[in-house]
């Protein structure tokens, strides 16, 4: 007799989805979480809770034409067709069913984000909770878990090993408590939902050297536990150079300044008062350009209209509360705030105005502007950051971990522990694909494990 039917390691979005999908009457699920701080400190809790799904009922209600095939095409375009085709197809296909399940079975209060589109998405397809906060999404999942009789959350308990039988199939897992004591649980299925390796500086230097000098802004427990297990068990890994960066982490407060500031019409300048690229290519690939500015800093400049549009984000309200938004009545005052030469800044504002008004083309090729900015101007000082890694264990369409191309019976990976759908580097990341890989692979893993 097994101690449980499914053991899930890690209680972020991936682990919660796996545990909830695996839990059903008569099937015992153990969800082991390493950190007491996971309600605030997991990546999921820190996120903006954007979940892309193409062909959802929310899109239909809003009259948005979209389909999994169109979403897949966007992913292929953003990744320059260097994405894991099996995982990308599985996640884009399951996404509409996933958001239905999150709302109907797990009670997550989802809505479609209709006020702006993130870079690379050709349709409005990000779903989120009302205050666009990962903590609220995570809380809803925890509440759903509390309602399931056969789902047992154990905190703190760290997965340190997976046991397999002579044929290579999973037969158990080893958990370690903070006092060093260990417990072995017998079970035929283990889901690795321990996120990636972005909190391990050595692994980051090895696999992601271009962002190793950036600020890390993600969960402290993302230390590559699944990757170390993969090395020990000889599991397949891939896309280890893939990551989500971000070009606007407010400094010194270390709070995410939403890229909605840019998509509504804002832009970035450095201390010379000049822009340095087309910001609408994406926030992930903007981390390194920001880091290469003087002092590794830049300013996001926008106006009151943009400010009002961003208030829907809990993160943005936190940026405001921290006093990080500086206001300036005119170009002179803005130059003083930025410590930039007035002439250069005035020329930048004039050029941006002309591009946003459609009277001239942008020198960097930016075509999406919202509307021209009008004084008073707002400015937030930002730096480039690493948010999470997007490479990991290779999986099949059921989230089963592969070894030499074949599924390991009973072993699954989801979220940051598994390969993502962002191709290589930073520029393949589309907004929401972190949580889609977490919730989607978790859902697929949990369902398959329990079937
Ligand atoms: C500021 C910010 C904003 C973001 N916004 C978005 C967004 O809007 N949309 C989006 O798609 N993505 C977003 N992301 C990325 C997204 O947060 C992650 O891709 C996603 O949350 C990963 O989920 P996960 O479950 O794999 O990891 P996590 O949420 O980090 O959960 C992993 C859990 O595993 C635990 N753990 C680690 N090792 C072990 C072990 N050995 N044993 C047991 N437990 C262990 C950890 O403590 C943690 O609780 C954002 C990230 C950041 C930092």
């Amino acid at each position: 007799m097994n101690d449980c039917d499914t053991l899930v390691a890690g209680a972020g979005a991936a682990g919660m989805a796996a545990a909830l999908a695996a839990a059903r009457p008569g099937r015992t699920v153990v969800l082991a979480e390493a950190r007491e701080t996971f309600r605030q400190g997991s990546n999921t809790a820190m996120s903006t809770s954007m979940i892309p799904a193409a062909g959802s009922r929310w899109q239909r209600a809003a009259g948005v034409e979209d389909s999994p095939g169109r979403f897949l095409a966007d992913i292929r375009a953003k990744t320059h067709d260097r994405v894991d085709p099996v995982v990308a197809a599985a996640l884009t296909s399951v996404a509409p069913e996933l958001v239905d399940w999150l709302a109907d079975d797990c009670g997550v209060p989802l809505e479609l984000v209709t006020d702006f589109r993130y870079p690379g998405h050709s349709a409005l397809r990000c779903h989120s909770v009302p205050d666009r906060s990962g903590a609220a999404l995570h809380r809803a999942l925890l509440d759903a878990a509390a309602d399931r009789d056969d789902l047992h959350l154990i905190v703190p308990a760290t997965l340190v090993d997976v046991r397999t039988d002579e044929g290579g199939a999973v037969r158990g897992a080893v958990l370690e408590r903070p006092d060093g004591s260990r417990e072995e649980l017998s079970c035929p299925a283990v889901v690795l939902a321990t996120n990636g390796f972005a909190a391990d500086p050595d692994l980051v230097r090895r696999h992601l050297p271009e962002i190793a000098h950036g600020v890390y802004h993600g969960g402290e427990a993302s230390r590559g536990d699944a990757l170390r297990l993969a090395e020990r068990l000889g599991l397949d890994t891939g896309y280890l150079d893939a990551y989500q960066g971000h070009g606007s982490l407010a400094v010194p407060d270390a709070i995410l300044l939403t890229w909605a500031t840019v998509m509504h019409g804002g832009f970035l300048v450095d201390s010379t008062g000049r822009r340095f690229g087309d910001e609408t290519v994406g926030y992930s690939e903007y981390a390194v350009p920001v880091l290469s500015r003087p002092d590794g800093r830049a300013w996001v400049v926008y106006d009151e209209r943009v400010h009002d549009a961003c208030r829907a984000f809990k993160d943005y309200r936190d940026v405001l509360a921290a006093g990080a938004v500086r206001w300036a009545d005119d170009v002179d005052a803005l130059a003083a705030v930025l410590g930039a030469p007035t002439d250069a800044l005035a020329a930048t504002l004039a050029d941006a105005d002309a591009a946003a008004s459609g009277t001239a083309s942008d020198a960097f090729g930016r075509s999406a502007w919202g509307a021209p900015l009008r004084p008073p101007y707002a400015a937030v000082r930002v730096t480039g950051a690493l948010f999470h890694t997007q490479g990991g264990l290779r999986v099949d369409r059921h989230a089963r971990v592969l070894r030499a191309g074949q599924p390991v019976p009973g072993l699954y990976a989801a979220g940051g522990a598994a390969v993502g759908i962002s191709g290589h580097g930073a520029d393949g990341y589309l907004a929401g694909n972190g949580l889609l890989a977490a919730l989607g692979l978790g859902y697929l893993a949990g369902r398959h494990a329990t079937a």
Side-chain angles (χ1 to χ4, degrees), residues 10 12-14 33-34 43-44 47-48 50 159 195 217 221 225 388 416 432 434-435:
E33 165 55 49
N43 261 45
T44 300
S47 79
T48 319
M50 293 290 157
L159 176 87
N195 206 346
H217 186 67
D225 288 3
H388 68 275
L435 282 175

Side-chain angles (χ1 to χ4, degrees), residues 49 57 126 243 249 296 301-302 311 361 423:
S49 75
R57 69 182 195 233
C126 280
Y243 68 96
L249 184 72
V301 175
Y302 52 97
R311 281 179 175 278
S361 52

Side-chain angles (χ1 to χ4, degrees), residues 7-291:
L7 180 123
V8 181
M16 297 301 308
L20 285 162
R24 53 193 62 173
R27 312 284 289 177
T28 308
V29 177
V30 171
L31 176 55
E33 165 55 49
R35 306 278 173 137
E36 305 254 29
T37 52
F38 77 114
R39 287 179 180 82
Q40 305 81 34
S42 63
N43 261 45
T44 300
M46 295 173 71
S47 79
T48 319
S49 75
M50 293 290 157
I51 308 163
S56 78
R57 69 182 195 233
W58 290 267
Q59 287 180 306
R60 278 196 297 282
V64 176
E65 292 254 337
D66 201 7
S67 67
R70 181 167 164 179
F71 184 13
L72 185 57
D74 288 348
I75 291 172
R76 292 176 65 170
K78 190 84 168 71
T79 58
H80 314 288
D81 226 350
R82 299 187 305 164
V83 66
D84 184 311
V86 174
V87 177
L91 287 176
T92 48
S93 306
V94 81
E97 177 185 328
L98 172 72
V99 285
D100 276 350
W101 174 76
L102 286 169
D104 300 339
D105 286 36
C106 306
V108 178
L110 285 181
E111 57 187 32
L112 184 69
V113 175
T114 54
D115 49 329
F116 75 103
R117 248 195 286 146
Y118 279 104
H121 285 294
S122 65
L124 290 168
R125 62 167 75 104
C126 280
H127 302 68
S128 189
V129 293
D131 75 354
R132 302 180 185 181
S133 122
L137 166 70
H138 197 222
R139 256 196 318 275
L141 294 170
L142 283 164
D143 287 348
D147 282 347
R148 313 280 158 112
D149 288 340
D150 291 329
L151 198 168
H152 307 280
L153 175 63
I154 310 179
V155 189
T158 303
L159 176 87
V160 289
D161 212 349
V162 171
R163 303 282 193 228
T164 52
D165 63 21
E166 282 161 9
V170 167
R171 65 172 175 79
V174 183
L175 301 180
E176 186 174 281
R177 298 294 193 151
D179 65 4
S181 61
R182 289 190 171 196
E183 182 184 3
E184 188 160 336
L185 294 184
S186 61
C187 56
V190 170
V191 182
L192 304 171
T194 53
N195 206 346
F197 56 86
D200 184 313
D202 289 338
L203 288 172
V204 170
R205 271 192 294 275
R206 190 187 321 161
H207 297 295
L208 314 167
E210 68 179 34
I211 192 72
H213 61 303
V215 178
Y216 172 54
H217 186 67
E220 58 178 9
S222 302
R223 305 197 61 86
D225 288 3
L227 212 52
R228 272 182 279 276
L229 196 66
E231 275 170 22
R232 271 208 308 286
L233 298 180
L235 309 172
D236 298 349
T237 58
Y239 297 90
L240 296 181
D241 61 341
Y243 68 96
Q244 183 205 348
H246 209 292
S248 63
L249 184 72
V251 285
D253 316 282
I255 307 170
L256 167 65
L257 176 70
T258 170
W259 208 247
T261 49
V262 165
M263 300 315 289
H264 281 298
F267 53 80
L268 275 79
V269 295
D270 63 17
S271 58
T272 68
R274 295 188 180 86
R275 288 174 54 227
F276 44 94
D278 172 3
E279 300 85 354
T280 61
V281 291
Y283 52 74
S284 178
E285 52 269 63
Y286 238 70
V288 169
V290 169
L291 286 167

Side-chain angles (χ1 to χ4, degrees), residues 293-382:
R293 298 294 101 195
D295 300 333
R297 302 282 190 269
W299 293 85
V300 181
V301 175
Y302 52 97
D303 66 3
E304 211 155 4
R305 175 186 60 79
V306 177
H307 162 79
D308 287 340
C310 293
R311 281 179 175 278
F313 287 84
K314 161 100 174 43
D315 282 332
Y316 186 69
R317 298 196 297 275
D318 291 344
V319 169
L320 276 178
V325 182
R326 311 275 301 275
W327 289 96
D329 284 337
D330 53 28
V331 184
D332 291 319
L334 185 62
V337 168
L338 272 52
T342 307
D343 291 354
L345 186 62
T348 298
L349 282 166
D351 289 348
D353 191 274
S357 314
T359 57
S361 52
D362 178 44
F364 298 103
R366 174 169 171 177
S367 55
W369 285 93
L373 300 188
R374 293 289 169 255
Y377 301 108
V380 177
R381 196 159 192 235
V382 296

